[in-house]
Amino acid sequence: MDHLAHVSNLRSSQSQTQISHLALDIGGSLIKLVYFCRYDDSCRDDGDELRSQNDSLCSKSDNNQPVLEGRLHFAKFETSKINDCLDFLRSMKLCLGVNSGSHDGTAPPSDKIFIKATGGGAYKFADLFKEKLGVSLDKEDEMECLVTGANFLLKAVHQEAFTYLDGQKEFVQIDPNDLYPYLLVNIGSGVSMIKVDGDGKFERVSGTSLGGGTFWGLGRLLTKCKNFDELLELSHQGNNRIVDMLVGDIYGGTDYAKIGLSSTTIASSFGKAISDSKELEDYQPEDVSRSLLRMISNNIGQISYLNALRFGLKRIFFAGFFIRGHAYTMDTISVAVNFWSKGEAKAMFLRHEGFLGALGAFMSYEKQCLDGLMVHKMQQKFPISASSAGDNIYCSLSSNSDENGSIECTVYGT
Amino acid sequence: MAGLNGDPILGIDDKIEDLQYKNNNNSNEVVDKEELVGIGEESTTCYKSNQGGEKDMAGSSIHRSGSRPQLDLSKAEIQGNSEERDPTILLPNQSDDISHLALDIGGSLIKLIYFSRHEDQSVEDKRKKTVKERLGISNGNRRSYPVLGGRLHFVKFETSKLNECLDFISSKQLHCGRIDSHHWNSETPANENAVIKATGGGAYKFADLFKERLGVSIEKEDEMDCLVAGANFLLKAIRHEAFTHMEGHKEFVQIDHNDLYPYLLVNIGSGVSIIKVDGDGKFQRVSGTNVGGGTYWGLGRLLTKCNSFDELLELSQRGDNGTIDMLVGDIYGGMDYSKIGLSASTIASSFGKAISDKKELEDYRPEDISLSLLRMISYNIGQISYLNALRFGLKRIFFGGFFIRGHAYTMDTISFAVQFWSQGEAQAMFLRHEGYLGALGAFMSYQKHGLDDLMVHHLVERFPMGAPYTGGKIHGPPLGDLNEKISWMEKFVQKGTEITAPVPMAPPGTTGLGGFEVPSSRGATLRSDASALNVGVLHLVPTLEVFPLLTNPKMYEPNTIDLSDHKELEYWFTVLSEHLPDLVDKAVASEGGIDDAKRRGDAFARAFSAHLARLMEEPAAYGKLGLANLLELREECLREFQFHDAYRSIKQRENEASLAVLPDLLLELDHMDEGTRLLTLIEGVLAANIFDWGSRACVDLYHKGTIIEIYRMSRNKMQRPWRANDFDIFKERMLGSEGKKPKPHKRALLFVDNSGADVVLGMLPLARELLRRGTEVVLVANSLPALNDVTAMELPDIVAEAAKHCDILRRAAEAGGLLVDAMTNTLDGLKGNSSSVPLMVVENGCGSPCIDLRQVSSELAAAAKNADLVILEGMGRALHTNFNARFKCEALKLAMVKNQRLAEKLIKGNIYDCVCRYESAPAS
């Protein structure tokens, strides 16, 4: 899919919208944006209506009147196409610090506009942002952002977490009072495993270099796929048995029951590719992709489970752009956790899985602006089908808010 | 030639071939035989039989070619007549040598382990008989040793060349022998219902082929069972089996076999199995991963155009994974993410850079891809293994399986991962025999193999001629005899890598031979495993025991010089290399200087140089390397080329010369008072110790004077204080002070060193003094010749000759059964008619200038039981080894330091300084 087309699409449809707050997560392969758009007046009624239902949540605020109401939007770009991202931002008529500054009553000069950003690219591309957009990137610690984002989502957003097994998606109600400790597995280019004990209390306990970047990097070399999504798409149609050596291949079709391995268990990923008779061209890209996906998902699931076990954690949440609501990925991770834990542990996923870091960066804006950010739980407009979310990677912004994955929310001033 | 039949690689099971070969020999070699016989008669009368010299020598060579104590001969064996065999050997019904075989047939390699019986010596020479009676060994051979003597051979073939493997088995008749439930014998005719234990996938796949080609059935053993059994055996039975590998540095770890369990065994084959081992046969597969060796090779094949696993591994050594992996530094603009402890070079995402649009597969170097893959998989395995060890609270993680293949970088990355994730708390360990776990386990699954009872001290590992060329790789066809070996060596020199290496050798990866030329990779034969460790032939010697007088056998380290210091290593390699031409000359001369001996001499020089070069390249190639190992390797290498006693004639000459002046010396001593005499005796030991062909400096001396001149000069120069001088303490212990007479020692063990003046003018007079005081004396000498060291075979003659001039020695020797003409009275003498305490000779179980007291002969162990004084004499036994050894009884260490470097290092002194170190018995 041509993502430039999307962007231009967006320009036309969204150019009227004012972005008031923006945060970035610039990862190795993707840039994630979270930005807040104020409602125009036409939307305002909805918000009013729902605000009343959530009054209890606003009790901390001195002023019960929302200062800002609008939607949180989520968008993604490939890091390699950072210019598209910059173009997009320019086209969106960023008000940013100007807006937030207006609430302080001190409008900063434009050369001191800060955007909260996280991810390695926040360092790497700081100069570029300065040059192209005249904004400075205010770097936020990646891990802190991840955790803040996840904590926010798990506590504030209804039906954020779900399990996915055998194609069945099941939302899990998380009691915000019984959330901690949990294991957060963020699958970006690489994988970070973070034990979260509370707000701002967390530790990166493990990780693995076999992550999304490995899937996409190896996948690009092995298939001629042009993008990550295409590779993921391919895996749907593949059969990993062509490439993987299964237990049955070794034991002549029988299970190795003695140690509890069924004949379809993968004994060695890509183990059949050692055959002399076939070259890379002789394998279907679909099969290769499938094998790759299973290898990486399985491995992440296993290492995550072992770490959860190590710290006695009940819940493992998987997030990060690698998952992308992709059913098969979630399925293999779930199967791995299920397999290694002998059914005792369940993998859980977050609907906003790709945006934890960006959300966390967003949350790190000065307290007076966003402390009171509230979410209208009833109003989240999210795609229900995971696959449609998977289709919608490059830029989740579109005129149709139901497919945006945007969240309606209200910001209360202090 | 007749003497060349004992093939230490192939073992006794080759006997039949050897005999045939001998019979077919043409007459022009008869001269050589006679020559040999002549020499043999001169120096080895004590074990000569009435069978005639030729056969005697031939038999001798078979035994001498073996591991340490297998010196004695079996005539019956030479004649191929089993009926005459001494029935006291372990397997009374044994009518033929039996070999046993087990296989691990994997997807790419066939690992074969076979056992060849090594005849327990059954010839009871008179000395031995007397010693045994004296020491209360109830006829040694009747002792039921827990395990057979023999050799375990480790051989590899490529699975694609299965026929070579079948030919090998068939040529060695390995499939004919087997173990039944009663004995290791062959009561039932061979091949009928014969069964070979095997594991690995191919055990199923090739079962029919084995039946068809060899007429044997394959009995499949569970793979996991075999792995664990193999690992347990290795970790318990082999002293330095396990090692760590960090940043290219190997360190051997001694595992206390009482504290082995539980441990985690990670077997990296196509996939990875992670097994928790709790004991013999007690284990559980607790985890695993599908990202294993198959993934490396499978993905590697698809991404590079490599044709073999080894090629892919080799590529990785020249790779830079930074071009493909996304590093932390790439994400953070070259900075570390120190907050969470990630350095800039940490891999954030394996293959993460390959997502770039600009480059296609062809644009990446295969080297970089291979390294990136290797690191990805190794780290991952290390991590998952550590997490599992943590989960079960296991201290030790052992990694094995074909993926590792002794490949340094693989081991380093796994070690790094374990260290990284455990924050230094856990260490990855590897096994020297890692490729053979399954095959060993299958071997262990035979009933009544007896290997379970095998102890560390029963095993001696030998690295035969081919070792430097194999690096533990694939083997070709076997070599029948020494002649073929020499031919191979000669051909190898001419053609280098083109010729096929014999069993247990691999396609040679080297063209270099001699000097310090390091075997280097050339052409298609890449040495991806240059750092891989060799697997030698395991000699099972059930008669070996731990010297019972060691205070702490577990902490005992024989070597004083640690060759892991590379400068030290280089120094000793230079010493040995420089000494080599002289040694070859001596060796060739000892065999009459004939053409055949010259050929063998050349082959020996090449083979030993190759060993040295291999060890310079990888000091840990043959396991933990100490100076003692190196010196012993040289002796073994000589024996392999049938030089059984290179210094034979020199020893003979020097013994005679020394014996001639002994009476004068004894007379001189007898005129001294006790105190002066003791000092003179110790001075004499130290002075006589100058006669040492192992020392370059002394060899130079030899060329300048006669023995007696040197001895006199040496003794005159013996001015105290010596560098390490405990003489006064020793004197007080011996003679007492202020009229108090201390109790004499009950029994003294004298570990003697060189032939000639050293033993005759040094140690014998000291022994005589002890005897005079009523102390039983046991002279402990080498089982096999090493340099000019006196052997247990030669000593009785020397004593007998000395006894002619000395009544004390004569009566003691009679009592000890050393005098041939007194033999008829021996039994009477034992019953109490003897007027003297006995002087005895025992063999130490060694064929090296040094001694490892963890592995000594059972007769020495028996003799040690009542001993309260140990005297170690000479550089090899008192300095190079055992300088730091502590004994349960009193010990005296005497040596002249004939090496400047050693003098500086050990005693901060100079060459020709003397060491007289006395250690009293620790308070018990």
Side-chain angles (χ1 to χ4, degrees), chain B residues 175-192:
Chain B
H175 54 300
C176 300
R178 81 194 141 280
I179 306 164
D180 65 35
S181 52
H182 306 294
H183 300 286
W184 293 48
N185 62 15
S186 51
E187 281 163 11
T188 43
N191 282 344
E192 207 160 299

Side-chain angles (χ1 to χ4, degrees), chain B residues 227-389:
Chain B
L227 273 180
V228 173
N232 281 349
F233 169 76
L234 289 169
L235 288 167
K236 282 193 287 191
I238 299 184
R239 201 182 308 281
H240 293 118
E241 176 62 23
F243 60 93
T244 60
H245 198 286
M246 290 294 282
E247 285 157 26
H249 180 73
K250 292 186 186 69
E251 197 162 310
F252 288 96
V253 180
Q254 192 163 343
I255 308 281
D256 178 357
H257 61 88
N258 294 316
D259 186 28
L260 172 62
Y261 306 112
Y263 67 85
L264 199 66
L265 177 63
V266 181
N267 185 61
I268 315 178
S270 297
V272 181
S273 283
I274 300 178
I275 304 161
K276 175 169 166 267
V277 183
D278 292 301
D280 266 333
K282 283 167 64 185
F283 65 90
Q284 190 193 354
R285 183 186 194 270
V286 292
S287 196
T289 161
N290 47 306
V291 186
T295 313
Y296 176 62
W297 177 210
L299 273 174
R301 256 199 88 251
L302 297 182
L303 292 169
T304 69
K305 296 291 162 201
C306 283
N307 289 316
S308 77
F309 184 91
D310 287 320
E311 191 186 336
L312 185 66
L313 263 181
E314 176 69 24
L315 276 184
S316 74
Q317 287 180 318
R318 302 190 298 269
D320 170 15
N321 67 305
T323 61
I324 292 181
D325 289 345
M326 187 182 288
L327 308 183
V328 167
D330 294 326
I331 300 177
Y332 290 91
M335 289 179 292
D336 295 356
Y337 190 6
S338 52
K339 193 175 169 185
I340 51 170
L342 296 178
S343 80
S345 60
T346 304
I347 302 174
S349 173
S350 292
F351 287 87
K353 269 192 199 145
I355 64 170
S356 152
D357 277 346
K358 294 179 205 98
K359 287 168 102 178
E360 298 303 319
L361 180 54
E362 302 72 44
D363 302 323
Y364 293 97
R365 294 171 65 226
E367 288 87 347
D368 299 347
I369 291 175
S370 177
L371 181 59
S372 177
L373 262 183
L374 181 67
R375 292 189 69 167
M376 173 178 101
I377 291 166
S378 303
Y379 280 150
N380 197 59
I381 293 170
Q383 179 177 17
I384 293 178
S385 303
Y386 165 67
L387 285 169
N388 276 291

